[in-house]
């Protein structure tokens, strides 16, 4: 089968590999689309180096085919699988979705939402799941600030916070303001012109670079700050040192500082399916790339130019 193949960090090519075989608790998918996010870039480049240390491969990638977000059709089931059958349309995460076929554990799959395309479904799992888990505590009437509201996680964050009947302020660049408005934000702030003001019950910071002290000043005394990654640090830890500082500070302040480690699991994806089918969340797909241009898709996301989500179609 055709797949994007990565033998060392920093480079990959379109090549031929064997079709994988599903093991116990797994299914073989005919991949229809694969989502792209900043995590894809980190695993392709091996940067920051913390990525290598925590288990993705020190000298080279453990998984030779990149890609985690996936949507497709079940073609074969492994031993013990009862949740799905051949022909079922599903979405979720796996290892190696930039390929014509991929194996996925059923614990990380849900039925594809009705009424959306495979490309839209592939744009949901990691970014949508991260936003959903980061906004668990939001209640109706609260004020929510989403930093990076025009990106992958942020674009879902705006919609999910609105679905929970919060007042949402989205912060983004000038070219992403129309997108953020269309997602339902009550207020949109162009950070290139002026920074946000006011106080908020919850701040969802999607890969931002603002200091913890700046963010805490914008929180209510019992407010919650959710940190989703970081893209401004050096080659060693990236932006994760801010999350480490938040963990150290958390016991000594009245506010809750949460470095989010989101789970990839069927229950989360099924919850997103319900929100999508109810019309409360729409996958914001800006652009689709063919498998042969997967590296261009990753570069497009890394550049920060993408509006919402980018998808590789197979």
């Amino acid at each position: 089968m055709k797949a994007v193949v990565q033998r060392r960090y920093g480079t990959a090519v379109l090549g031929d590999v064997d079709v994988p075989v599903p093991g116990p608790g797994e299914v073989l998918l005919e991949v229809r689309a694969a989502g792209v996010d900043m995590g894809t870039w980190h695993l392709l480049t091996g940067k920051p180096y913390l990525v290598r240390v925590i288990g993705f491969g020190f000298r080279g990638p453990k998984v030779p085919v990149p890609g985690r977000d996936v949507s497709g059709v079940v073609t074969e089931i492994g031993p013990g699988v009862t949740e799905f059958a051949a022909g079922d349309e599903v979405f979720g995460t796996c290892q190696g979705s930039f390929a014509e076929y991929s194996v996925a554990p059923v614990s990380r799959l849900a039925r594809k939402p009705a009424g959306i395309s495979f490309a839209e479904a592939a744009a949901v799992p990691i970014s949508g799941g991260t936003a959903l888990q980061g906004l668990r505590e939001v209640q109706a009437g609260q004020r929510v600030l989403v930093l990076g509201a025009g990106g992958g996680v942020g674009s879902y964050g705006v919609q999910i916070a609105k679905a929970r009947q919060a007042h949402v302020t989205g912060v983004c660049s000038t070219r992403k303001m129309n997108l953020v408005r269309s997602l339902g934000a009550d207020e949109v702030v162009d950070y290139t012109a002026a920074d946000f003001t006011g106080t908020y019950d919850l701040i969802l910071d999607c890969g931002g670079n603002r200091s913890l002290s700046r963010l805490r000043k914008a929180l209510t005394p019992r407010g919650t700050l959710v940190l989703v990654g970081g893209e401004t640090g050096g080659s060693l830890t990236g932006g994760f040192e801010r999350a480490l500082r938040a963990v150290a500070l958390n016991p000594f302040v009245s506010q809750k500082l949460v470095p989010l480690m989101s789970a990839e699991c069927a229950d989360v994806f099924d919850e997103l399916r319900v929100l999508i089918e109810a019309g409360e969340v729409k996958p914001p797909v800006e652009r689709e790339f063919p498998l042969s241009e997967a590296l261009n898709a990753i570069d497009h996301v890394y550049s920060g130019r993408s509006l919402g989500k980018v998808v590789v179609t197979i």
Side-chain angles (χ1 to χ4, degrees):
M1 68 173 184
K2 292 295 183 184
V4 174
V5 183
Q6 178 188 6
R7 300 298 182 189
R8 62 181 187 272
Y9 287 121
T11 183
V13 297
L14 186 66
D16 293 299
V17 298
D18 293 336
V19 176
V21 177
E26 297 177 334
V27 297
L28 178 66
L29 299 180
E30 179 185 344
V31 179
R32 298 295 180 82
V36 184
D37 59 18
M38 278 302 301
T40 313
W41 181 86
H42 289 305
L43 295 182
L44 179 69
T45 61
K47 296 180 180 179
Y49 295 119
L50 181 63
V51 167
R52 311 183 189 198
V53 174
I54 63 177
F56 289 98
F58 190 75
R59 296 185 179 277
K62 286 186 176 180
V63 180
V65 179
R68 295 182 67 83
D69 277 329
V70 68
S71 68
V73 179
V74 175
T75 62
E76 183 181 341
I77 61 173
V81 173
T82 58
E83 294 88 344
F84 301 108
D88 286 346
E89 298 179 350
V90 298
F91 78 120
T93 61
C94 65
Q95 291 186 335
S97 59
F98 286 10
E100 292 178 322
Y101 291 89
S102 184
V103 162
V106 295
S107 61
R108 301 212 307 254
L109 291 176
R111 297 188 182 277
K112 185 177 80 67
I116 66 172
S117 67
F118 282 103
E120 290 173 310
V124 174
I126 292 177
S127 293
T130 299
L132 181 65
Q133 293 170 76
L135 295 169
R136 288 291 190 199
E137 298 185 4
V138 173
Q139 300 177 14
Q142 289 188 323
R143 291 176 56 83
V144 173
L145 177 70
V146 179
L147 301 172
V153 176
S155 58
Y156 285 106
V158 170
Q159 297 180 80
I160 292 169
K162 284 304 298 179
R164 294 179 180 271
Q165 301 179 45
H167 181 282
V168 181
T169 299
V171 179
C172 60
S173 63
T174 307
R175 65 185 298 270
K176 298 184 180 183
M177 292 181 71
N178 288 338
L179 168 66
V180 176
R181 289 193 186 97
S182 74
L183 297 174
D186 298 286
E187 300 176 52
V188 182
V189 177
D190 178 0
Y191 70 79
T192 68
D195 204 3
F196 61 88
T197 58
T199 56
Y200 301 88
D201 299 289
L202 185 144
I203 298 175
L204 183 69
D205 186 5
C206 304
N209 59 359
R210 294 171 178 83
S211 68
L212 291 180
S213 60
R214 168 69 180 100
L215 295 172
R216 289 188 58 223
K217 287 177 182 177
L219 278 177
T220 59
R222 297 285 178 179
T224 299
L225 169 64
V226 179
L227 298 171
V228 182
E231 305 298 339
T232 58
S235 296
L236 183 60
T237 62
F240 293 103
E241 68 276 359
R242 193 173 56 145
L244 298 176
R245 290 198 300 272
V247 171
L249 183 61
N250 206 33
F252 306 102
V253 298
S254 62
Q255 297 153 329
K256 186 181 293 185
L257 312 179
V258 183
L260 183 63
M261 296 294 291
S262 60
E264 299 173 21
C265 60
D267 289 346
V268 170
F269 302 150
D270 202 54
E271 192 172 350
L272 289 164
R273 178 190 60 79
V274 172
L275 288 170
I276 292 168
E277 291 182 345
E280 294 183 312
V281 170
K282 179 177 175 56
V285 177
E286 177 215 14
R287 189 171 172 184
E288 300 175 23
F289 290 78
L291 182 62
S292 60
E293 297 179 18
L295 297 184
N296 292 336
I298 296 172
D299 287 342
H300 185 62
V301 171
Y302 179 68
S303 73
R305 299 192 305 270
S306 58
L307 299 169
K309 293 292 296 181
V310 170
V311 173
V312 171
T313 54
I314 291 87

